[in-house]
Amino acid sequence: MAGERRRIEVLDVLRGFALCGILLVNIGPITHMGYEAIEAGRISGPAAPELWLNMLVAGRFFPIFSFLFGIGFAIFLDSAADRHPRPRLLLLRRLVALGLLGALHQVVHPGEALLPYAVFGLLVLVPASFLPRWAVLAGGAAGTVAGVTVVSGGILLIPGMFLLGMAVARYRVPQRLDRLTGWTGLAFALFAAAAVPAALWQWGEVENTGFSTSSAVAGLVMAGAYVTGLCLLMRTPLAGALHRLFAPLGRMALTNYTTATLVVLAAGWALDFSAQDRWGALFALAAAVLAAQWVLSSLWLRAFRYGPLEWAWRCATWWKVVPLRRGTRPEERREAPAAA
């Protein structure tokens, strides 16, 4: 049992990888990049960098993050059930605390994901925790299909991805991933093959990215290719480098996601992003923010077991002060940190 409670490293890597893509997509909306030019009628169509962001990044990483949240929810529930008589009470506190943080984050970033995650967690994941895993999987598949066909993705894709992630965790796929390389390779091949026609479909109406079925379908299948491809790479000699690159960001994803908003807002104001599209500055800002966060996360995690907001979230969940420094309360290490 203790071995299964070890941190599932591939989840940290996937979470850090998704964080990078989400930042690239979020900088424009957070800074209102080019909004003044649009209002003045000086923008006629998407620039080449925007086209490639739409084709390779936008709509690809949000499903990954939602899927990982569902996995983490289920892992945490299993862990909490072993150490608390009312594990769903912990989950309710966890989601309420996330919602309060999300409500604060909405003030500076109205398009943020934490508040919707908390709301859908309460409405979908908590009730689903009473269902058998096959029903959760069926509900996730149906919800995801509806999310990309009926409403063209976006926020209403969250429930389906939550349930799919929860089902994958309840079938214990993350814990057995090292024994499922063949199945992972098959899934990658299917996702990659589907991504080609889906991308061509999206390219035909790329200016409607985010508001079309084609962009939702392409985003979802490409997200699947990214996830399964990265999981395959984690079975190669590149695993160590990928872990060093992405895991520190992923282990402090909550802290990094929220603090990036403040840094991007300040930089966008200082560089006057709203006056015109500044794609070179956008990519440079994303690289600078991620590099700084990687350094700070790596240094922080040498001394502490959780990021600052991750630690506060745990304290709110357990309704007590959880040990933060490494080396304190060894028995606490059995807690499933992959659910963070």
Side-chain angles (χ1 to χ4, degrees):
M1 179 69 70
E4 294 180 355
R5 294 285 173 79
R6 292 197 303 267
R7 194 162 197 101
I8 303 174
E9 293 183 350
V10 69
L11 296 181
D12 291 329
V13 172
L14 286 170
R15 195 177 290 113
F17 175 67
L19 190 73
C20 297
I22 287 172
L23 178 62
L24 275 172
V25 174
N26 281 348
I27 289 178
I30 290 173
T31 61
H32 294 175
M33 190 176 78
Y35 282 24
E36 292 178 9
I38 293 173
E39 292 171 358
R42 297 197 300 270
I43 301 296
S44 58
E50 184 178 7
L51 290 175
W52 288 111
L53 272 181
N54 286 341
M55 293 301 301
L56 298 175
V57 183
R60 277 68 175 164
F61 292 91
F62 183 66
I64 296 175
F65 229 92
S66 302
F67 177 71
L68 292 173
F69 189 92
I71 291 177
F73 186 100
I75 291 175
F76 182 86
L77 179 61
D78 287 344
S79 174
D82 291 340
R83 293 174 291 115
H84 195 280
R86 301 175 65 188
R88 288 180 180 83
L89 174 62
L90 299 180
L91 289 172
L92 290 174
R93 285 204 296 250
R94 191 170 181 80
L95 290 169
V96 169
L98 184 67
L100 292 174
L101 177 60
L104 291 174
H105 195 215
Q106 285 271 344
V107 175
V108 292
H109 181 18
E112 68 93 44
L114 302 181
L115 183 57
Y117 275 18
V119 171
F120 282 118
L122 291 168
L123 295 178
V124 176
L125 286 178
V126 173
S129 68
F130 294 95
L131 299 177
R133 61 186 184 178
W134 65 264
V136 177
L137 179 60
T144 300
V145 170
V148 298
T149 58
V150 177
V151 294
S152 301
I155 192 173
L156 292 181
L157 186 60
I158 293 175
M161 298 308 299
F162 273 9
L163 292 174
L164 284 181
M166 185 179 194
V168 164
R170 290 180 65 177
Y171 277 100
R172 307 192 63 74
V173 173
Q175 293 88 342
R176 299 187 296 118
L177 199 58
D178 59 344
R179 300 191 295 275
L180 298 173
T181 303
W183 287 105
T184 306
L186 177 61
F188 171 73
L190 293 174
F191 278 124
V196 175
L200 292 173
W201 181 19
Q202 181 187 354
W203 184 260
E205 46 188 36
V206 66
E207 293 188 12
N208 295 323
T209 294
F211 303 95
S212 64
T213 300
S214 63
S215 64
V217 171
L220 187 61
V221 295
M222 198 170 289
Y226 286 168
V227 168
T228 52
L230 195 53
C231 287
L232 287 176
L233 289 175
M234 288 294 290
R235 301 291 299 151
T236 72
L238 291 175
L242 291 171
H243 186 269
R244 288 189 295 272
L245 180 62
F246 292 118
L249 295 171
R251 290 183 63 185
M252 288 179 50
L254 183 63
T255 297
N256 289 329
Y257 174 69
T258 51
T259 55
T261 299
L262 302 178
V263 175
V264 168
L265 272 174
W269 173 81
L271 298 174
D272 197 16
F273 268 50
S274 63
Q276 59 182 321
D277 285 342
R278 305 191 61 184
W279 292 104
L282 183 149
F283 291 119
L285 176 59
V289 170
L290 291 171
Q293 289 186 332
W294 181 86
V295 171
L296 293 173
S297 297
S298 299
L299 292 175
W300 179 274
L301 291 171
R302 290 181 184 178
F304 303 103
R305 293 164 52 207
Y306 316 114
L309 287 182
E310 286 77 8
W311 173 75
W313 195 19
R314 287 179 182 276
C315 292
T317 297
W318 293 93
W319 210 241
K320 65 179 181 181
V321 177
V322 175
L324 178 59
R325 283 193 171 275
R326 290 190 174 277
T328 57
R329 299 276 299 278
E331 69 275 11
E332 291 278 349
R333 294 175 186 169
R334 292 179 299 171
E335 184 177 347

